[in-house]
Amino acid sequence: QVQLVESGGGLVQPGGSLRLSCAASGSISSIYVMGWYRQAPGKQRELVADIRNDGTTNNADSVKGRFTISRDNGKNSVYLQMSSLKPEDTAVYYCNADVRTLRGSRNDYWGQGTQVTVSS
């Protein structure tokens, strides 16, 4: 089994910053991609940013220049540094990992989500 645990969400004013963290643990052989998704009420879950095991990143247009994704392979962790936050960034943020398990299978795993609220 693989577990992802997020932390760092909370309430922040517009223009503020927040850093999300996610740590994966369990039967992990390797992690190909780690990413952050978000979902607002009544909307589909959308990709915010992801990062491959070679370090290449992909960012949603709405967050380019404001958010930075990074990972620490030794800790099986991924981070999202969020700056210049806007009210439209309000959502539940989910960590995702594309994992090769010790059993040889490849699966997506999701964290439980952490609430980010941007409001004055």
Side-chain angles (χ1 to χ4, degrees):
Q1 182 64 281
V2 175
Q3 300 83 38
L4 275 63
V5 179
E6 303 109 326
S7 62
L11 175 65
V12 65
Q13 293 184 343
S17 297
L18 214 56
R19 180 178 170 88
L20 305 183
S21 300
C22 172
S25 61
S27 301
I28 298 169
S29 178
S30 61
I31 303 178
Y32 296 101
V33 187
M34 301 190 80
W36 290 96
Y37 292 71
R38 66 187 182 187
Q39 187 168 27
K43 301 188 68 176
Q44 294 189 64
R45 190 171 300 185
E46 65 176 355
L47 175 69
V48 177
D50 62 22
I51 182 166
R52 268 59 176 170
N53 54 7
D54 65 358
T56 58
T57 61
N58 182 40
N59 298 275
D61 289 341
S62 60
V63 307
K64 287 180 179 177
R66 300 188 298 120
F67 292 7
T68 301
I69 190 169
S70 60
R71 66 188 284 175
D72 184 333
N73 292 328
K75 297 181 179 179
N76 287 326
S77 296
V78 64
Y79 310 92
L80 187 68
Q81 179 64 52
M82 304 185 293
S83 300
S84 301
L85 283 161
K86 304 174 180 180
E88 50 262 47
D89 295 319
T90 296
V92 177
Y93 283 70
Y94 296 91
C95 179
N96 173 265
D98 176 9
V99 177
R100 175 75 69 184
T101 73
L102 294 175
R103 297 174 64 92
S105 61
R106 184 171 177 175
N107 300 98
D108 270 353
Y109 294 90
W110 294 92
Q112 80 285 354
T114 185
Q115 177 71 47
V116 172
T117 302
V118 184
S119 177
S120 60

